[in-house]
Amino acid sequence: MTKRIFGKAYVVGDNIDTDQIIPAQYLMYVPTVPEELEKLGSYALCGLPESLYPLRFVEAGKTKTDYPIILAGKNFGCGSSREHAPIALAAAGCRVVIAKSYARIFFRNCIATGVLFPYEIGERFPEKIETGQELVVDLETETLLVADQVYPLKPLGDAKAVIEAGGIFNYAKKTGMIPARS
């Protein structure tokens, strides 16, 4: 497993809901079909208002983002319970979301699907980070490195092993909770 995630941050505000993460009209794409998963990822965060986010998470005509790290405010992933939301972000190339807080269902969907690391950051939230700034997320120490500053992330605990296994079903197979198919 990669111990560090390096890359540019995409910064969003508070209350980014699942309709902004992946609008309802794109829920027709089936994530288990590779071509459709790629298409789903191309629409990640396309529901954000252009007036507030003129720089798109995934550029028009592309299927992958230049931003493997999303830095968000409070209540990220609120709204409808959509497994498609974390799946679309991951399909676009996002690896980790760091937020002040999450809607619990989004947080749980990240763990259940095993596609994103959903870290919460404490009181020392790095307010001055801008979209495009280079960051490092250290998964081993569960910290965010910004230039010469280190910010602790709330540990994922047992959920981290589930994400690293690729989701709840893979984790259950890996640990013998359910038998693996031969």
Side-chain angles (χ1 to χ4, degrees):
M1 183 198 81
T2 303
K3 302 285 185 202
R4 287 184 164 199
I5 297 170
F6 298 85
K8 295 178 185 177
Y10 191 82
V11 181
V12 296
D14 295 337
N15 301 311
I16 301 299
D17 64 39
T18 54
D19 287 320
Q20 292 171 312
I21 296 170
I22 189 70
Q25 67 262 35
Y26 304 115
L27 298 179
M28 65 183 179
Y29 293 111
V30 180
T32 55
V33 176
E35 302 80 29
E36 292 191 21
L37 178 62
E38 183 176 66
K39 192 73 169 167
L40 181 69
S42 73
Y43 294 112
L45 288 175
C46 75
L48 292 173
E50 285 188 48
S51 61
L52 296 175
Y53 301 95
L55 189 61
R56 306 310 299 167
F57 181 66
V58 179
E59 288 183 44
K62 293 191 175 182
T63 59
K64 297 295 180 193
T65 185
D66 292 329
Y67 309 98
I69 302 166
I70 292 174
L71 193 61
K74 298 175 189 171
N75 203 26
F76 187 82
C78 57
S80 304
S81 170
R82 294 184 180 163
E83 282 186 342
H84 282 71
I87 291 170
L89 292 173
C94 182
R95 304 273 318 282
V96 61
V97 178
I98 299 170
K100 286 185 181 178
S101 66
Y102 290 93
R104 290 313 231 182
I105 193 68
F106 178 86
F107 186 85
R108 195 175 100 202
N109 281 338
C110 287
I111 296 163
T113 60
V115 296
L116 288 177
F117 289 94
Y119 278 108
E120 287 182 276
I121 193 160
E123 296 174 25
R124 291 187 52 222
F125 191 80
E127 297 288 345
K128 296 182 180 174
I129 295 176
E130 295 181 6
T131 293
Q133 189 168 344
E134 294 284 337
L135 306 178
V136 178
V137 178
D138 189 317
L139 299 175
E140 192 170 334
T141 62
E142 295 182 304
T143 55
L144 170 65
L145 293 93
V146 181
D148 60 349
Q149 294 290 313
V150 177
Y151 298 90
L153 302 173
K154 183 178 177 184
L156 289 172
D158 293 336
K160 187 175 172 188
V162 176
I163 297 165
E164 289 172 341
I168 194 71
F169 290 109
N170 289 337
Y171 178 79
K173 289 175 190 174
K174 180 180 175 183
T175 60
M177 296 168 79
I178 58 175
R181 293 184 184 174
S182 353

